[in-house]
Amino acid sequence: MQKDRADILRALLVANGGKMLAKDIRKRMHIKKNHFAELLRVCDFAETKPFHLDRRQTVIILKSELVLRD
């Protein structure tokens, strides 16, 4: 179940340019706050930061996956 939700989270972030407010993602996924917080702890591809206009809100940002060159 968590893997499916993680895939949905990644797809939502990719579709919206890599950034999205946490409350908007949570509402689109139809999950409770405590389940969403648990999902964010598990996902290593996303990071959270406070929204620059309103620090009470949180922005979920898709981490870029850099490939190191030899």
Side-chain angles (χ1 to χ4, degrees):
M1 185 80 146
Q2 285 290 78
K3 185 178 182 295
D4 294 337
R5 287 182 176 166
D7 292 338
I8 293 169
L9 175 63
R10 183 188 297 263
L12 278 172
L13 287 172
V14 168
N16 288 293
K19 291 183 184 179
M20 210 170 161
L21 287 174
K23 69 175 187 173
D24 293 337
I25 294 174
R26 191 177 64 78
K27 286 180 182 177
R28 285 193 184 186
M29 293 178 69
H30 301 289
I31 55 178
K32 295 179 182 178
K33 286 183 181 182
N34 57 347
H35 294 294
F36 188 65
E38 184 179 325
L39 175 65
L40 288 178
R41 274 189 255 120
V42 172
C43 294
D44 58 346
F45 58 84
E47 64 179 321
T48 61
K49 290 188 176 182
F51 187 45
H52 72 282
L53 295 177
D54 185 359
R55 298 277 181 198
R56 295 173 295 177
Q57 296 181 359
T58 305
V59 175
I60 310 292
I61 302 170
L62 186 64
K63 289 183 183 176
S64 61
E65 298 174 5
L66 299 175
V67 177
L68 299 175
R69 297 173 68 187
D70 293 328

